[in-house]
Amino acid sequence: MDNIQPTTDPVRPKAPLRSWFDVRGRSLSTLAFALNRLTAIGLTIYLFLHLAVLSLLLRGPEGWDQFVALAKNPAFLLLDVVLLFGVVYHMANGIRVALVGMGVAHTRQKSLFYVLVGIALVAFVVGAVLIFVE
Amino acid sequence: MTERDIEFKVFRYKQGGAAPAHQTFTVRCDENTTVLVALQDIRRDQDGTLILRHSCHHASCGTCGMRINGREELACVVKVFELGTPTVVVEPMRNMPVISDLVVDMEPFYDRFNAAGMPFIRESEYLEEAEVAEGLETYMRCENCIECNLCVSACPIMGTDPTYIGPAALAATWRVVEEPRGLDSRPLLDWVDSQNGCWRCHVAYECNEACPSGVLPGDKIMSLRRELTKRKFRRLFGR
């Protein structure tokens, strides 16, 4: 059963990025899928950046204080807002994918998307305001 | 009856020939002209070398699947005017090797059904007295799936992984698991419980959108997963 013919096409080689992110003419579910991939890639990059930033602590208080001053810059706060969107969207859609992926409520996957991502968007707006106000 | 000239931007490719490119044709269309009829007009009146595949003209045979303005459709039931675009882009289905122009090699598609070792007709449905028609090795099971490959073309994971079983074969597998009628479905469940099986799906559900006959392959894949999850829990607790 393992030896199924590959679907390789020498004329049109597979292009994962185009396959994942070309959402033209596609449905809401594909948009959800593409955004999930995009936020996953973004959050993975962020994780490494976060570790790099934390390593500033090895340089002592001076290096860390410099970073904290930079982090209070409005442009940097905007990056925090982007990060917050990535986190809340990936979490909400992740719950949907986990539920649907185990065959729970899979026939209502679009409704699940609206409910969970709707809650995530509300959390995002509140969080974004707090980032700038606090 | 309103008539209008519509531009068709058609994917062209010949094996051993130049790199693939789009060629533009203009066709006089009315409100009843389907994309398939327009393509046949092009082949008859403008370029006899245009290769396409079709048969029934009423969405039963599934042979005229292609991408029309970037979406997977059966060309025989898509009316040109209803697309609402001055130019209609016509391309072969994705995720199967292109043979010529709008025709793809369907062998990897059917290979997935065969690899499952799935009986196309179940013992309980087989009439001993039925004679197999000339030219056929055996009768094939008749289900909603018209084996058009549109779901496979639309699937973003098929566009990444050449060995993914894919939505059509997974949906067909679920039919046997759902309604085994005396068959042992465990080998089939083992087959799809793999890296290239139903766990490879990433819930884009584009297969559901593309399917012209209501099979809803995405839902079937999730049903397989539910069954496998139950089986794993049962094994975990030694039942």
Side-chain angles (χ1 to χ4, degrees):
Chain A
M1 284 191 184
D2 292 332
N3 298 322
I4 50 173
Q5 278 192 41
T7 55
T8 313
D9 182 1
V11 182
R12 300 172 299 171
K14 291 200 186 292
L17 289 180
R18 197 181 60 202
S19 179
W20 296 342
F21 298 125
D22 186 0
V23 294
R24 287 172 299 175
R26 295 297 179 192
S27 67
L28 177 78
S29 310
T30 292
L31 190 64
F33 159 82
L35 211 49
N36 214 50
R37 293 243 137 166
L38 196 64
T39 51
I41 293 167
L43 289 172
T44 307
I45 293 169
Y46 166 75
L47 181 67
F48 285 101
L49 279 176
H50 184 62
L51 292 172
V53 166
L54 285 182
S55 72
L56 289 174
L57 285 168
L58 295 172
R59 293 189 201 164
E62 201 175 294
W64 183 250
D65 289 346
Q66 271 180 357
F67 170 73
V68 170
L70 177 70
K72 287 178 179 169
N73 185 300
F76 200 97
L77 292 179
L78 209 59
L79 288 176
D80 277 348
V81 172
V82 173
L83 173 67
L84 178 68
F85 175 79
V87 170
V88 294
Y89 175 80
H90 199 79
M91 183 181 67
N93 193 53
I95 293 169
R96 166 183 163 263
V97 168
L99 288 174
V100 168
M102 284 192 298
V104 179
H106 61 280
T107 53
R108 295 202 175 100
Q109 57 94 12
K110 277 189 184 168
S111 309
L112 263 181
F113 176 84
Y114 288 126
V115 171
L116 290 169
V117 174
I119 293 168
L121 284 179
V122 171
F124 165 68
V125 171
V126 172
V129 170
L130 287 176
I131 283 173
F132 280 100
V133 171
E134 291 292 312
Chain B
M1 190 169 280
T2 319
E3 288 193 344
R4 227 170 36 233
D5 281 340
I6 300 286
E7 264 192 0
F8 285 81
K9 218 171 148 188
V10 183
F11 180 95
R12 302 302 306 268
Y13 168 74
K14 301 291 178 200
Q15 283 179 4
H22 288 83
Q23 188 178 356
T24 303
F25 300 94
T26 303
V27 182
R28 194 88 184 142
C29 298
D30 62 39
E31 51 262 76
N32 291 323
T33 308
T34 62
V35 173
L36 178 57
V37 166
L39 291 170
Q40 286 181 296
D41 286 352
I42 292 169
R43 184 174 154 80
R44 187 190 60 225
D45 302 330
Q46 300 184 49
D47 188 345
T49 67
L50 176 66
I51 303 297
L52 61 143
R53 185 187 277 143
H54 75 88
S55 184
C56 74
H57 278 262
H58 57 255
S60 280
C61 68
T63 50
C64 65
M66 55 187 74
R67 282 165 54 81
I68 299 168
N69 285 351
R71 286 194 62 85
E72 281 70 16
E73 308 273 8
L74 293 176
C76 65
V77 288
V78 175
K79 290 190 174 170
V80 176
F81 281 8
E82 287 176 6
L83 290 168
T85 52
T87 302
V88 177
V89 182
V90 186
E91 293 162 316
M93 287 183 287
R94 292 192 300 195
N95 306 327
M96 286 289 152
V98 64
I99 295 175
S100 181
D101 297 336
L102 300 171
V103 174
V104 296
D105 182 1
M106 291 287 282
E107 206 151 330
F109 177 89
Y110 295 119
D111 185 51
R112 279 156 171 72
F113 283 93
N114 295 335
M118 188 172 61
F120 283 103
I121 185 160
R122 297 172 213 186
E123 213 173 331
S124 59
E125 293 168 335
Y126 188 78
L127 293 173
E128 287 293 333
E129 63 272 27
E131 281 181 27
V132 177
E134 200 181 328
L136 290 179
E137 284 181 23
T138 180
Y139 281 120
M140 291 197 286
R141 197 181 75 211
C142 221
E143 290 277 4
N144 278 357
C145 177
I146 55 172
E147 297 168 26
C148 60
N149 191 55
L150 291 184
C151 59
V152 172
S153 175
C155 173
I157 300 303
M158 291 295 310
T160 308
D161 180 357
T163 55
Y164 175 37
I165 292 173
L170 288 171
T173 301
W174 172 248
R175 279 297 295 132
V176 178
V177 174
E178 180 186 36
E179 202 184 330
R181 300 192 206 175
L183 290 174
D184 180 10
S185 59
R186 280 175 299 184
L188 279 176
L189 277 172
D190 290 338
W191 184 54
V192 299
D193 186 13
S194 63
Q195 197 184 340
N196 300 326
C198 64
W199 304 108
R200 194 77 181 86
C201 168
H202 282 264
V203 198
Y205 271 99
E206 205 56 47
C207 50
N208 275 12
E209 302 290 332
C211 180
S213 57
V215 172
L216 303 175
D219 288 358
K220 305 292 181 288
I221 294 171
M222 297 314 141
S223 298
L224 276 174
R225 284 181 172 189
R226 187 183 57 216
E227 195 61 31
L228 286 167
T229 305
K230 275 197 237 167
R231 190 168 83 154
K232 283 175 199 295
F233 271 108
R234 278 197 295 266
R235 282 182 182 172
L236 191 67
F237 294 107
R239 291 173 62 195

